[in-house]
Amino acid sequence: MASNTTAVALPRFADKVVIVTGAGSGIGQATARRIAAEGGAVVAVDMNEAGLQKTVDSILEAGGGSARAVVCSVASEESVKALISGVLSTEGRIDSLVNMAGILRSLPTMETSLDLFQQVLNVNLIGTFLCCREALPALLESKGNIVNAASTSAQFGHPYMAAYAASKGGVFALTRTLAWEYLKQGVRVNAVAPGGIMTPMVVAQGESMGGFDMDLFTHLSRPDGVFGAPESVAAVIAMLASNDGAHMTGEIVKVDGGVHN
Ligand SMILES: NC(=O)c1ccc[n+]([C@@H]2O[C@H](COP(=O)([O-])OP(=O)(O)OC[C@H]3O[C@@H](n4cnc5c(N)ncnc54)[C@H](O)[C@@H]3O)[C@@H](O)[C@H]2O)c1
């Protein structure tokens, strides 16, 4: 018997305005494309102007929804305020905020300077907080939602990633806290916890791991060496941000190929 496994692209984001941070690369880029392909008006945010341009060009080429690029550091309070007021005056509303901007720095903890630790927290945790805080008034109006980027390192730890894992632990707690706080007002807040997704972040990390005790990594990657695709995480984010995720809030959804089961 023939089985129908063809995915049908539903226009789940028609008439929806979705801000995607970290949209110049990796998971954020794949998410921006996915949401636009489903009819969304994407505001693509990143510090990497060239990456952003590539994202927006590929969306316009593919047709479907629309995309507008905004160069912005999520770690700057002033820039995030300008981002949100710009979206409200240009697009007029916000239905979803997808916080994918992030940085990873791998080092033994004893060699991790205060400055580096703070840099990682500033982008991954403070940046997520700032975007959430500034977008929440508009999300309360639209009964919208937020999807944050946690990580399996938040729940399970990761050697040589003290700052990163701690920042993602903060995102985990922030996500669950906002989910409770805004539950009655109809704003959903969820996160994905990716692990082992092949993106420029992971490639750069691999290049910086000389001298690390690799035995510590054996339980962190799949025995078959397979990495996930950014599109696999984008599909889960799109589900959470769309009405398909209507009955989910406060969830941290692992997308790690089963490594941490
Ligand atoms: N790839 C993985 O296996 C993995 C695992 C767990 C969590 N994550 C998380 O998923 C998210 C996306 O990661 P990725 O793997 O696609 O990485 P990536 O490096 O490909 O993309 C991250 C993007 O964030 C942008 N960015 C960095 N600092 C910024 C700032 N201050 N303001 C705005 N943009 C900024 C970068 O320019 C880049 O385009 C990150 O939050 C990451 O921590 C990824």
Side-chain angles (χ1 to χ4, degrees):
M1 191 172 66
S3 65
N4 181 3
T5 55
T6 309
V8 178
L10 299 168
R12 292 184 293 186
F13 294 96
D15 303 323
K16 303 284 185 200
V17 175
V18 182
I19 299 176
V20 182
T21 75
S25 176
I27 297 168
Q29 184 174 66
T31 303
R33 287 176 174 155
R34 172 73 190 238
I35 287 173
E38 293 198 40
V42 171
V43 180
V45 179
D46 207 295
M47 284 173 67
N48 171 355
E49 208 170 341
L52 264 187
Q53 200 51 52
K54 217 170 144 188
T55 306
V56 169
D57 288 349
S58 66
I59 287 172
L60 299 181
E61 227 168 82
S66 64
R68 180 169 73 86
V70 180
V71 178
C72 163
S73 170
V74 297
S76 154
E77 185 172 29
E78 204 183 321
S79 306
V80 172
K81 283 185 176 191
L83 162 72
I84 300 300
S85 64
V87 174
L88 293 177
S89 57
T90 308
E91 279 82 12
R93 56 183 289 129
I94 304 170
D95 295 286
S96 300
L97 166 68
V98 178
N99 286 307
M100 287 299 122
I103 56 172
L104 168 64
R105 301 287 182 265
S106 302
L107 271 180
T109 302
M110 289 192 295
E111 292 167 29
T112 300
S113 66
L114 176 59
D115 184 51
L116 186 135
F117 200 95
Q118 284 173 335
Q119 271 175 37
V120 174
L121 254 64
N122 280 344
V123 178
N124 296 2
L125 178 56
I126 310 277
T128 301
F129 157 69
L130 288 173
C131 291
C132 290
R133 190 191 68 188
E134 293 305 312
L136 267 164
L139 293 171
L140 285 166
E141 267 187 44
S142 66
K143 304 243 178 283
N145 64 77
I146 296 172
V147 184
N148 290 329
S151 161
T152 51
S153 66
Q155 289 151 283
F156 304 99
H158 202 301
Y160 306 114
M161 291 188 194
Y164 181 83
S167 74
K168 295 300 183 177
V171 170
F172 187 114
L174 179 69
T175 302
R176 298 192 65 121
T177 298
L178 296 187
W180 271 120
E181 200 168 318
Y182 295 100
L183 178 74
K184 288 191 184 170
Q185 286 113 303
V187 174
R188 299 184 297 107
V189 188
N190 293 292
V192 285
I197 308 301
M198 188 45 78
T199 66
M201 177 183 279
V202 166
V203 173
Q205 187 219 357
E207 286 162 2
S208 71
M209 289 199 313
F212 291 1
D213 180 347
M214 296 311 287
D215 287 350
L216 293 175
F217 288 85
T218 49
H219 70 294
L220 296 172
S221 51
R222 277 175 52 147
D224 60 3
V226 171
F227 279 79
E231 288 75 15
S232 305
V233 188
V236 176
I237 294 169
M239 184 277 287
L240 290 170
S242 75
N243 206 39
D244 285 344
H247 207 47
M248 295 176 79
T249 193
E251 292 296 337
I252 317 291
V253 183
K254 266 193 298 142
V255 189
D256 72 341
V259 170
H260 295 91
N261 287 338

